[in-house]
Amino acid sequence: MISTGSKLGRGMSGLIVLLLGLAAGALIALSPDIALPATVLLLPGLLALVLDRTPGCSVARAILLFQAAACVHPVVNSWYRCAGIDGCMGYLADWHTVLRSWLAAAAAWVVTQILPLMLKAADDYRLRSRRSTLLAKREALVAEWGLEDDQGR
């Protein structure tokens, strides 16, 4: 039997780890002055990737996706405006930029925790509504046909 999971036991395939390593290596090779600040910006997502025990690392993927969206503008600005590691660290490690990125990670975590509960509540409401509609139709049919309701609901 072929296992698609890695030896890490989190459901993350070896291909994803390889691609993440290649992407990190490419970022360091292309622009080392942006690699360190980008790591600071993505730190909660990277920690979630290491610590996530859900199948397929779904929480970590959501956190990294939200953080990547929050980091696009600062990284693009730093790519064109920074000159050297000091300038990039000064720009990307600004507390406004870090706070925005880390709040995006927190929002992703909250969404992954609350969304399943909200979907369950919406499904329960839909089922209760459908049940009451079907019971009303049944009672109307029993009254119309003059049948006795002997099932003892």
Side-chain angles (χ1 to χ4, degrees):
M1 182 170 172
I2 298 174
S3 173
T4 58
S6 69
K7 294 180 183 177
L8 297 174
R10 289 187 292 269
M12 183 188 312
S13 69
L15 180 62
I16 292 175
V17 173
L18 177 68
L19 291 176
L20 285 173
L22 287 174
L27 180 63
I28 291 169
L30 289 174
S31 182
D33 51 347
I34 292 179
L36 180 63
T39 303
V40 170
L41 290 177
L42 296 174
L43 188 62
L46 297 173
L47 286 175
L49 190 62
V50 170
L51 300 174
D52 191 10
R53 298 290 181 199
T54 60
C57 296
S58 59
V59 175
R61 287 185 299 144
I63 290 173
L64 283 171
L65 181 66
F66 275 52
Q67 278 193 295
C71 291
V72 168
H73 185 68
V75 169
V76 168
N77 279 344
S78 68
W79 182 268
Y80 290 113
R81 294 182 184 171
C82 292
I85 189 79
D86 293 333
C88 286
M89 279 300 286
Y91 178 72
L92 287 178
D94 181 40
W95 70 273
H96 289 96
T97 308
V98 173
L99 183 66
R100 185 180 308 126
S101 173
W102 288 19
L103 282 177
W109 181 81
V110 167
V111 166
T112 59
Q113 301 304 311
I114 300 255
L115 188 63
L117 298 174
M118 291 295 146
L119 290 175
K120 172 76 170 122
D123 193 39
D124 288 348
Y125 175 76
R126 182 188 60 84
L127 288 175
R128 270 187 264 124
S129 173
R130 179 72 175 151
R131 182 177 186 265
S132 65
T133 302
L134 289 175
L135 283 176
K137 286 181 181 180
R138 183 179 188 276
E139 289 173 3
L141 286 173
V142 165
E144 180 182 337
W145 286 80
L147 301 172
E148 288 186 29
D149 194 10
D150 58 353
Q151 294 182 353
R153 289 180 282 141

